[in-house]
Amino acid sequence: MTKAKVFKGVTDSQQKLIEYWCGLRDSRGSVRRDSMDPGQFRSMLASISIVEFDQAGNGRFRIAGSRLREIFGMEARGRQIEEVLGEHGEAYCLGLAAALERGAPVGGVIEQEDGRLHAWVRLPLAGPDGYLSQVLCHDELVRPRARKDAPQAGQDRMTGGQGIAA
């Protein structure tokens, strides 16, 4: 594995999850799904999902934590990405694809219409065959931190999404 900068996460939970993932890398830099011990990140399970891709490139949520219903608006487990995310599925898949292509964590922050922030991280996982075909996802809604340049109450504010992949 190269000495490229590894995305460290946005929230404390994401940072801990990425550190755990990094500690499990094998000599090729891969992490096998069966080496992950959910007990090591038990407090985060409600925000965790695993997306698995078949040979045709179709992604399906194998597992999806209970807090993800708030983000997705429905139960995702067992469903195809497009079925859960509709028109946002393509953007969601970009993070998944980046994690699989790089073999490294990627993540970012997307500002929601209600002002909350959606902090996301994607960690590639190797299946039983050793190929990267699964992605462990952590998605969390957080309150934005006050910024010095933030508009005062009553001022207009533009919202938009911003993804950060490192």
Side-chain angles (χ1 to χ4, degrees):
M1 184 159 183
T2 66
K3 295 281 185 186
K5 185 177 178 185
V6 175
F7 179 71
K8 301 291 186 196
V10 175
T11 68
D12 290 340
S13 295
Q14 290 175 349
Q15 290 169 8
K16 290 175 186 170
L17 185 60
I18 291 169
E19 287 172 13
Y20 175 68
W21 180 91
C22 286
L24 295 175
R25 289 183 293 186
D26 61 20
S27 60
R28 297 181 332 168
S30 296
V31 175
R32 295 179 75 92
R33 180 174 176 216
D34 60 8
S35 69
M36 301 286 290
D37 176 7
Q40 296 296 316
F41 47 94
R42 181 182 356 247
S43 65
M44 300 174 219
L45 290 176
S47 299
I48 296 284
S49 62
I50 293 181
V51 175
E52 182 173 46
F53 289 90
D54 61 21
Q55 290 186 350
N58 299 312
R60 177 179 300 278
F61 288 91
R62 289 193 45 124
I63 64 169
S66 59
R67 282 195 201 126
L68 298 177
R69 284 186 211 111
E70 182 180 357
I71 295 172
F72 299 151
M74 69 169 63
E75 172 63 49
R77 185 176 34 152
R79 297 177 187 235
Q80 298 264 345
I81 293 170
E82 299 79 21
E83 185 181 351
V84 175
L85 298 168
E87 65 187 42
H88 303 290
E90 188 174 337
Y92 188 87
C93 286
L94 290 174
L96 298 170
L100 291 172
E101 288 170 13
R102 296 176 187 187
V106 296
V109 176
I110 302 168
E111 187 173 352
Q112 303 294 294
E113 290 180 12
D114 64 5
R116 291 183 297 175
L117 301 175
H118 172 190
W120 59 273
V121 69
R122 307 290 179 252
L123 303 167
L125 298 173
D129 59 4
Y131 290 101
L132 295 177
S133 59
Q134 301 174 3
V135 181
L136 183 133
C137 306
H138 183 277
D139 294 271
E140 188 173 4
L141 291 176
V142 296
R143 296 191 188 284
R145 294 182 185 151
R147 296 186 330 228
K148 291 180 183 178
D149 63 339
Q152 299 298 321
Q155 290 182 327
D156 287 339
R157 182 172 82 121
M158 293 183 61
T159 60
Q162 178 181 2
I164 303 167

